[in-house]
Amino acid sequence: MARKAFHLFIAISFLFVMGVSGFKDYELYLGGFFPIQDLSGNNWETGNGISIACKLAVDLINNSTYILPNHRLVLLINNTKGLLPQAQRVLFEYIYHKPVKMALIGAGYSSVTEPLAATSALWNLLLVSYSATSPVLSDRLKYPYFFRTIESEISFNDPRIALLKYYNWNRIALLYEAENIFSKTMEDLRQKLGTSNNISIISTESFTGQPKEQVKHIKEKDARIIIASFYEDTGRKVMCEAYHQQLYGPKYVWILIGWLESNWWDKPVTVLSGICTQQQMRRVISRQIAIDLTYIRRDNKKAISGQTALEFLESYNRLLPSNQQDIYAAFAYDAVYAIALALNKSETDLMM
């Protein structure tokens, strides 16, 4: 973590040199990428709640006397709609149109963030994400200016292995959508299981679009414990195929990721094997185990903002009703503070 912070400081230092002018009211602009109106099919319905958390952090920093005392942060909010082409358009608007952006925040999906991080690096622009967990983004050579306040998806693998060992589940299948975030995570899991005792992977299946054949192969292998990773839209197709191929019930356990939207399965779906009603989807999902993050700390320790986690939540709750709040709000809040603290450190050194 200290090494990451050092690199973040170094990266911002030379960006900041053109911003230091001695004017106390100098504005520093941050470009935001938020899936406010998600059109990706994955039903991220609370993206606006992320931008609200960022604005909460910006307001606190701007009222602070010890973080950027001579400068004011301005957060620019743009809607990516959860789509890469839209996010790319926003990126080039940030690059080619004034004012100069000191850093970028976002984007939501890893599939959108990966190309953004590669492109923004060509302009030496920092990109700090609040939710992109793809292991690919940990490549410092490919993404030298990318940072995140959330763990890599690979961090779920140790808990998965611990769960398997605890219940003595030693024959498993892997099923995942063919996206970097999932494929690299499953590759890491296979490597770790190769050194673990008495756990065999009897089937590994990846898919794009319709997962009928992959679910069929898992059924043929008589796998009972299935570790699956996917986004919401494709996940519904997997669960529907599992229903039609009877890969559910008391003899099966699905181990899923927990950061998908609430009740993501609760919709009727049509797949190659047929139609699934909401009631049928609920029957399949009833025996799933989801492994998830801790989204906010649970102690009463004050953060550098001067707030405890509970105080942050109270402030956030006053701004948004619960159905509009986003699970990544605290990570977004921390992303703004990480950038501000790096800028603040740069300002101190450059003014000496």
Side-chain angles (χ1 to χ4, degrees):
M1 185 61 70
R3 187 176 181 182
K4 286 187 177 181
F6 174 74
H7 287 162
L8 181 60
F9 159 61
I10 292 297
I12 285 186
S13 291
F14 75 88
L15 287 171
F16 196 85
V17 68
M18 60 185 169
V20 175
S21 60
F23 295 107
K24 292 186 176 182
D25 293 329
Y26 195 88
E27 294 179 334
L28 303 175
Y29 288 84
L30 307 180
F33 299 83
F34 304 102
I36 295 173
Q37 179 191 8
D38 187 9
L39 300 181
S40 69
N42 293 314
N43 304 105
W44 194 336
E45 298 175 348
T46 54
N48 184 57
I50 301 173
S51 65
I52 296 298
C54 286
K55 288 196 291 185
L56 179 60
V58 166
D59 289 343
L60 285 171
I61 291 164
N62 287 340
N63 288 319
S64 170
T65 58
Y66 65 94
I67 301 178
L68 297 173
N70 301 304
H71 298 80
R72 187 170 70 89
L73 290 182
V74 179
L75 176 65
L76 304 177
I77 296 174
N78 268 288
N79 179 15
T80 66
K81 301 180 181 179
L83 303 173
L84 177 57
Q86 178 71 12
Q88 288 175 321
R89 183 187 68 80
V90 171
L91 174 62
F92 287 116
E93 285 182 354
Y94 282 155
I95 292 171
Y96 289 113
H97 296 134
K98 292 184 177 181
V100 173
K101 292 34 169 220
M102 300 303 295
L104 307 174
I105 299 176
Y109 292 111
S110 291
S111 57
V112 175
T113 304
E114 287 175 22
L116 281 188
T119 304
S120 59
L122 300 176
W123 279 267
N124 300 328
L125 266 172
L126 292 171
L127 177 63
V128 182
S129 179
Y130 44 80
S131 63
T133 59
S134 172
V136 173
L137 289 164
S138 298
D139 186 339
R140 302 309 302 163
L141 294 177
K142 189 173 182 179
Y143 305 105
Y145 295 98
F146 176 80
F147 299 86
R148 53 186 163 195
T149 53
I150 191 169
E151 288 283 346
S152 165
E153 195 74 13
I154 282 177
S155 66
F156 291 124
N157 283 340
D158 286 341
R160 286 178 174 126
I161 294 172
L163 182 68
L164 296 175
K165 289 183 175 180
Y166 181 83
Y167 286 106
N168 197 28
W169 291 332
N170 51 28
R171 297 177 73 254
I172 68 169
L174 306 181
L175 175 64
Y176 57 93
E177 185 176 356
E179 293 272 357
N180 278 338
I181 182 176
F182 306 125
S183 60
K184 293 298 182 181
T185 302
M186 291 299 104
E187 179 182 332
D188 176 80
L189 180 59
R190 287 196 299 271
Q191 291 174 354
K192 289 178 177 176
L193 286 174
T195 61
S196 298
N197 297 325
N198 302 322
I199 300 177
S200 300
I201 302 173
I202 60 175
S203 180
T204 299
E205 306 289 339
S206 66
F207 68 94
T208 57
Q210 295 289 342
K212 178 180 178 179
E213 292 303 314
Q214 289 78 7
V215 174
K216 179 182 177 182
H217 292 160
I218 290 174
K219 177 73 173 181
E220 290 171 347
K221 292 285 187 177
D222 195 29
R224 304 299 177 90
I225 310 300
I226 305 115
I227 298 177
S229 293
F230 39 62
Y231 286 122
E232 290 88 343
D233 185 45
T234 48
R236 285 188 285 271
K237 295 174 184 177
V238 169
M239 293 296 102
C240 187
E241 285 292 352
Y243 175 80
H244 284 289
Q245 300 189 40
Q246 298 184 338
L247 204 66
Y248 71 98
K251 295 183 178 181
Y252 296 94
V253 176
W254 287 81
I255 302 174
L256 308 178
I257 49 180
W259 48 256
L260 302 177
E261 285 293 296
S262 298
N263 300 323
W264 56 270
W265 61 82
D266 204 15
K267 292 184 178 181
V269 185
T270 299
V271 294
L272 295 180
S273 295
I275 298 172
C276 290
T277 65
Q278 286 175 274
Q279 184 177 8
Q280 290 167 338
M281 294 288 284
R282 291 169 189 166
R283 288 176 63 185
V284 179
I285 208 70
S286 63
R287 292 183 180 274
Q288 59 114 353
I289 296 174
I291 297 178
D292 205 355
L293 299 162
T294 297
Y295 288 93
I296 193 164
R297 64 188 306 156
R298 296 174 181 174
D299 58 28
N300 291 320
K301 184 177 180 180
K302 285 186 179 292
I304 198 161
S305 65
Q307 288 186 316
T308 64
L310 179 59
E311 288 169 338
F312 161 75
L313 287 176
E314 289 172 347
S315 299
Y316 190 56
N317 291 340
R318 286 193 292 269
L319 297 174
L320 282 173
S322 59
N323 65 339
Q324 295 179 28
Q325 295 177 10
D326 194 271
I327 59 175
Y328 297 107
F331 293 109
Y333 179 92
D334 286 348
V336 174
Y337 261 93
I339 293 171
L341 290 169
L343 288 170
N344 187 69
K345 180 65 175 177
S346 300
E347 178 188 42
T348 302
D349 281 19
L350 290 169
M351 286 183 171
M352 290 177 62

